[in-house]
Amino acid sequence: MIPVPFLYLLQNVMVQYAGQTVLHIPSMHIPENIILGISGHNGSGKSTLLRLLAFLEHPTQGRVRFRQATENTSREFLRRRITLLAQSPYLLKRSVLGNVAYGLKIRKEKQVEEKVSEALDMVGLSPARFLRRKWHQLSGGERQRVALASRLVLRPDVLLLDEPTSNLDQESTFLTRQAVLQAHEHWGTNLIMVSHDLEWLAQVSQTTLSMHKGRIQESSYDI
Amino acid sequence: MEYLWQGLFQALELLVSGDGQTFSAIWVTLRVSTMSITGTLLIGIPLGFVLGYQSFPGKKGLRLIVDTLLSFPTVVIGLLVYAMVSRQGPLGDFGLLFTVPGIAIGQIILGLPIIIALTASALEHIDERLRHTLLTLGADKRQVMLSTVWEARYPILAAAVTAYGRIVSEVGISMMVGGNIKWHTRTITTAIALETNKGQFGMGIALGLVLLAIAFAVNLLLHVLGQKTG
């Protein structure tokens, strides 16, 4: 029995690239109000699963449902509620303000600079120092945190994080953890994270899944 | 050698004294090249986006044609446009022959392959993570297209400089479609050709200097624009 309401429901999902199956999930649900950690080796299908959950890719077969969204719900509408931070995020060729404000501007939101400053504070970047910096004037860790801020500023229903700490030092890792947990506590943002760092996942997640060769191997809840 | 120095001296005199004929050619050149580059960018950037970013059958063949058109000789374009806008041509009723808009049509045809090919090339080499980033930040199809073009703004600016350089310096189209009519369709390049034939090196050199100054000003403007949008 699938508990209602669910956050995601995956039914008979298969993803193939060039005829090769990279993900196969016969049935799975992800409950609401969750911090889910997904682990697995390279090529286990973790990142593919995240792209499906972000509605950036279509499964070759099967269906991914988000809450009560129907077949007719546009993917654009869903992507305004769900956002993905990739392992090596791309920064737009703009200032930090331009990057973090991008999602707000296309949603025609107001008080943009105030919200951007708040998001930068959350990830431990001082708005006074960073707001006007260009994308090429940032270190690797700062770039990662600016990319995270540009997702947090949207106050998404779901934040998907693909190896969020893989290129970060200890301090940035700590700040990232604090920021995403703050989003979960304050705005009820669901967190779904993929990481090799089992220790980090254990510290942050409430529930865990492990994947192997495109399949769910183990889960700490009844999927 | 002395006649060249005389020509240069005469050129400066013409420019300083505000000679009517010289400034008429400059004004016509600025008008027609502005119309042409505007039309070229408005048509060329969306077409370059489609060619560089989208996938469709026959894309490679189309790309080959656009690349071939990069070396379209200006006199051939002039000939084609002349045939189209002359009284017997399909666009004859619009009265475009020997007019500034007539020259602009030819120059747009000249500039389009440059903008299309270089925009397409810029977009083919754009970071593949960009599309997913824009989508996951909530962009719709139109916003993805506009933001992608904006991300490629530096190579597109370079394409605009290249196209403007080719447009402002061409002679064949202006001569054939414009007719080199004094005070009306005489551009800097057609005036240089005419004045040199008449042995009037002074005006030729004066106009050549102005042409270089215009090219420098456009490059400077786009360079500053590029820095401001960084």
Side-chain angles (χ1 to χ4, degrees):
Chain A
M1 281 292 288
I2 301 299
V4 175
F6 55 81
L7 183 67
Y8 284 102
L9 179 64
L10 281 74
Q11 294 168 309
N12 197 24
V13 167
M14 187 182 282
V15 177
Q16 293 182 321
Y17 297 139
Q20 197 87 344
T21 302
V22 294
L23 189 73
H24 184 210
I25 302 175
S27 171
M28 178 175 110
H29 85 281
I30 298 173
E32 282 279 3
N33 196 24
I34 198 167
I35 305 179
L36 173 64
I38 305 174
S39 61
H41 294 295
N42 284 343
S44 61
K46 307 184 300 287
S47 298
T48 308
L49 176 61
L50 280 197
R51 287 196 297 275
L52 285 184
L53 299 180
F55 293 97
L56 292 172
E57 266 184 40
H58 290 275
T60 314
Q61 178 190 303
R63 193 173 164 207
V64 178
R65 279 184 66 192
F66 176 70
R67 288 181 175 155
Q68 299 309 309
T70 64
E71 297 272 0
N72 298 328
T73 311
S74 80
R75 297 171 79 79
E76 277 161 15
F77 175 80
L78 296 174
R79 286 195 293 254
R80 294 235 164 166
R81 291 159 177 268
I82 304 162
T83 187
L84 167 71
L85 179 67
Q87 185 175 359
S88 100
Y90 178 88
L91 283 192
L92 303 173
K93 291 187 175 65
R94 304 169 188 218
S95 64
V96 168
L97 173 62
N99 267 281
V100 184
Y102 181 82
L104 295 175
K105 284 187 176 168
I106 60 175
R107 286 166 174 79
K108 298 189 171 38
E109 288 203 21
K110 291 179 180 145
Q111 295 172 298
V112 168
E113 200 161 325
E114 201 181 309
K115 290 175 181 171
V116 169
S117 298
E118 191 191 340
L120 287 176
D121 273 330
M122 273 179 86
V123 297
L125 295 174
S126 151
R129 278 182 60 209
F130 284 92
L131 217 49
R132 309 285 162 198
R133 279 214 195 157
K134 306 285 186 201
W135 80 98
H136 53 79
Q137 294 171 324
L138 301 168
S139 70
E142 287 163 355
R143 291 169 71 88
Q144 188 93 8
R145 283 191 273 160
V146 168
L148 177 60
S150 67
R151 273 74 176 169
L152 290 173
V153 78
L154 305 173
R155 299 193 175 191
D157 290 357
V158 183
L159 177 58
L160 304 155
L161 302 154
D162 192 354
E163 302 283 359
T165 59
S166 62
N167 303 314
L168 298 184
D169 59 20
Q170 223 173 354
E171 192 204 349
S172 296
T173 303
F174 172 74
L175 288 164
T176 299
R177 190 180 75 185
Q178 274 206 318
V180 297
L181 290 177
Q182 205 180 329
H184 179 73
E185 279 165 28
H186 292 186
W187 313 320
T189 298
N190 291 281
L191 303 174
I192 302 177
M193 293 161 292
V194 153
S195 181
H196 276 106
D197 189 344
L198 295 178
E199 195 184 329
W200 192 82
L201 271 189
Q203 282 172 4
V204 185
S205 317
Q206 297 163 340
T207 44
T208 53
L209 282 179
S210 75
M211 296 185 67
H212 182 66
K213 292 187 177 172
R215 290 170 187 266
I216 306 292
Q217 197 178 33
E218 274 179 41
S219 64
S220 66
Y221 70 101
D222 185 11
I223 63 167
Chain B
M1 196 61 194
E2 201 186 317
Y3 77 100
L4 282 177
W5 286 114
Q6 271 179 358
L8 188 63
F9 182 71
Q10 207 186 339
L12 295 174
E13 210 173 60
L14 284 168
L15 289 173
V16 172
S17 67
D19 175 66
Q21 267 193 60
T22 309
F23 279 86
S24 164
I26 294 168
W27 174 235
V28 170
T29 301
L30 287 175
R31 263 174 67 209
V32 74
S33 61
T34 305
M35 280 167 82
S36 305
I37 194 68
T38 307
T40 304
L41 292 174
L42 287 177
I43 303 168
I45 292 175
L47 291 177
F49 178 85
V50 172
L51 192 61
Y53 199 72
Q54 312 281 39
S55 298
F56 54 88
K59 180 175 163 168
K60 281 186 181 170
L62 196 61
R63 185 67 204 262
L64 189 66
I65 293 170
V66 171
D67 288 347
T68 306
L69 292 177
L70 285 170
S71 39
F72 212 171
T74 57
V75 281
V76 179
I77 297 174
L79 176 73
L80 290 174
V81 176
Y82 186 95
M84 297 292 278
V85 301
S86 65
R87 200 174 288 172
Q88 304 98 308
L91 302 176
D93 292 342
F94 293 102
L96 291 165
L97 191 61
F98 306 137
T99 65
V100 166
I103 304 172
I105 290 173
Q107 291 186 343
I108 288 171
I109 296 171
L110 177 69
L112 269 179
I114 300 170
I115 296 295
I116 295 174
L118 296 184
T119 301
S121 182
L123 291 166
E124 277 164 4
H125 294 107
I126 209 148
D127 195 314
E128 56 188 22
R129 295 171 300 167
L130 172 65
R131 189 168 165 274
H132 274 182
T133 301
L134 297 172
L135 288 174
T136 203
L137 290 174
D140 59 26
K141 278 181 188 164
R142 191 184 63 90
Q143 288 160 340
V144 167
M145 180 186 152
L146 292 175
S147 302
T148 303
V149 169
W150 185 248
E151 284 298 292
R153 62 194 176 279
Y154 301 116
I156 292 175
L157 270 179
V161 170
T162 310
Y164 189 81
R166 185 123 157 89
I167 282 169
V168 84
S169 61
E170 69 81 25
V171 192
I173 298 165
S174 302
M175 191 70 91
M176 292 178 80
V177 183
N180 197 20
I181 302 167
K182 200 199 287 186
W183 309 109
H184 184 51
T185 58
R186 183 165 295 169
T187 63
I188 292 178
T189 52
T190 58
I192 290 174
L194 182 79
E195 297 304 327
T196 308
N197 278 341
K198 283 160 52 183
Q200 298 292 323
F201 293 110
M203 187 181 271
I205 293 170
L207 290 168
L209 289 174
V210 173
L211 201 59
L212 279 174
I214 291 172
F216 176 75
V218 169
N219 272 286
L220 187 69
L221 180 76
L222 291 176
H223 181 74
V224 172
L225 213 66
Q227 284 200 325
K228 284 227 183 254
T229 57

